Amino acid sequence: MRYRTIGTGPHSRRVSVIALGAMLFGSVTDERTAFALLDRYVEAGGNFIDTSDNYAFWTDGGQGGQSEELLGRWRRSRGAGDDLVFATKLGARPLAPGTSYIDNPEGLSAKVIRESSERSRDRLGLERLDLLYAHIDDPAVPQRETVEAFAALVAEGTVGLLGVSNQAVWRVERARALAAAAGLPGYEVLQYQHSYLRPRSDVPEDLFPDGSLGHVGAELATYLRAEPGLTLVAYSPLLRGAYAHPGRLPHDYDHPGTPARLAVLREVARETGATPGQVALAWQFGHELPVVPLVGVSSLTQLEENLAAVDLELSPEQRARMDAAH
């Protein structure tokens, strides 16, 4: 396994270059399978596990919490220590069963941040959350209130690093500027969808059908270059299996640039003897920007394929060819 450092200062952590997503653990992925996946991931040197307080509310019409609860049971049964880094999120948990984060989210008020983080710590069985994200934006709450509430948890020692997911880049920068001006800890880890293939910028993302987020790919890359202390955790790096099954490509990837990039990806896969998905992950591992792909798996076969990508080295020529395809 290879590792990189996320965050700065006393709460920075050394994490594996591939993170394991636990979104469906405890719901779609049963406990026995989830435990086996976690055991194998840790055995291979992985130590960066991602979840959220709302996973997976949509599977049973509830409010979520199944993933955190399962991870807590696994931690206790294995006697897991501080060498593992657990990341969770808040803000997008439905306030009532049968609703969703789109029409009824818990939001990012100071009250929610405190109470939701406490519930997450209880479910995970942790005295401190290593990394806590604002899962979605909450324009109804003043950003200063959100910034100060997250910072208070860090000051109390119940949270280490702060992160943000699925917010417009200008909103992220505003929150970070507010924190810096007040001498408070701010967001240091960003979690967005990112993969080798690029989506169209004029089609709303499936997760945000109202278009409130939009496409932030180029803007986000520019921001990461300007702020070297930030790390991007890239969710859906394999586009939900689309590299192995092109028919699964989301509709916003249906544009002339996709076939060209897929063709080069497959060329490099043949040259290296790897799968297209492994090449896509290796492209992220060696990216000029600090990217940690976050993989979601439901079987040991999928996990092994993803873990094998850690040792795949792309040549400068192969990487340049992949970057140039459009």
Side-chain angles (χ1 to χ4, degrees):
M1 183 58 68
R2 292 185 286 160
Y3 301 87
R4 72 181 319 141
T5 299
I6 60 171
T8 59
H11 299 300
S12 63
R13 295 300 302 267
R14 184 171 175 264
V15 300
S16 49
V17 296
I18 187 168
L20 180 64
M23 181 170 70
L24 298 179
F25 289 4
S27 54
V28 175
T29 303
D30 64 81
E31 186 154 317
R32 180 178 179 182
T33 302
F35 275 34
L37 292 168
L38 288 160
D39 288 343
R40 175 61 189 129
Y41 173 70
V42 172
E43 179 186 48
N47 74 335
F48 193 12
I49 300 168
D50 182 273
T51 186
S52 173
D53 70 347
N54 74 339
Y55 292 163
F57 74 86
W58 56 91
T59 62
D60 63 2
Q63 292 173 277
Q66 305 100 307
S67 174
E68 289 182 333
E69 290 168 356
L70 180 140
L71 290 174
R73 292 193 295 273
W74 175 79
R75 282 191 66 259
R76 288 186 287 271
S77 70
R78 302 304 191 258
D82 293 339
D83 53 326
L84 299 182
V85 176
F86 287 88
T88 193
K89 313 175 193 74
L90 56 77
R93 185 173 186 261
L95 287 174
T99 61
S100 79
Y101 66 87
I102 294 175
D103 56 14
N104 195 27
E106 61 184 353
L108 295 175
S109 68
K111 181 176 185 292
V112 164
I113 289 170
R114 176 164 297 279
E115 294 178 354
S116 293
S117 65
E118 289 174 355
R119 286 193 293 265
S120 288
R121 286 194 293 116
D122 287 343
R123 285 190 287 261
L124 289 164
L126 293 168
E127 293 184 4
R128 185 180 74 173
L129 300 171
D130 301 302
L131 169 59
L132 180 62
Y133 291 96
H135 201 165
I136 59 174
D137 200 1
D138 183 0
V141 173
Q143 278 192 299
R144 185 177 299 278
E145 178 180 341
T146 297
V147 166
E148 291 177 350
F150 275 119
L153 300 181
V154 176
E156 295 166 7
T158 56
V159 171
L161 293 171
L162 299 175
V164 62
S165 179
N166 300 318
Q167 293 191 19
V169 173
W170 73 268
R171 290 278 287 176
V172 175
E173 172 55 22
R174 177 171 171 78
R176 281 171 45 81
L178 286 169
L184 299 175
Y187 301 136
E188 295 190 81
V189 184
L190 314 183
Q191 186 172 135
Y192 291 82
Q193 181 171 318
H194 178 265
S195 188
Y196 173 64
L197 293 181
R198 301 165 175 163
R200 289 172 53 182
S201 60
D202 60 335
V203 177
E205 297 183 31
D206 289 339
L207 292 176
F208 300 88
D210 62 351
S212 59
L213 178 63
H215 176 48
V216 296
E219 186 180 7
L220 184 61
T222 300
Y223 188 53
L224 287 166
R225 290 188 180 95
E227 300 289 336
L230 300 177
T231 301
L232 172 64
V233 173
Y235 69 79
S236 296
L238 300 179
L239 299 176
R240 305 173 194 175
Y243 289 107
H245 308 281
R248 297 182 184 176
L249 266 176
H251 66 92
D252 48 335
Y253 289 80
D254 182 13
H255 60 84
T258 292
R261 285 178 82 81
L262 274 177
V264 173
L265 180 73
R266 290 166 180 159
E267 284 178 7
V268 174
R270 288 192 296 270
E271 293 165 4
T272 58
T275 66
Q278 288 172 329
V279 173
L281 289 175
W283 177 80
Q284 287 191 324
F285 296 142
H287 204 284
E288 61 169 319
L289 300 175
V291 180
V292 177
L294 169 62
V295 299
V297 296
S298 59
S299 71
L300 286 171
T301 299
Q302 292 174 344
L303 178 60
E304 294 293 355
E305 179 179 343
N306 292 339
L307 289 172
V310 174
D311 297 321
L312 177 60
E313 294 284 352
L314 302 179
S315 71
E317 185 277 333
Q318 288 169 331
R319 181 172 293 280
R321 206 184 334 148
M322 290 177 67
D323 290 343
H326 62 276

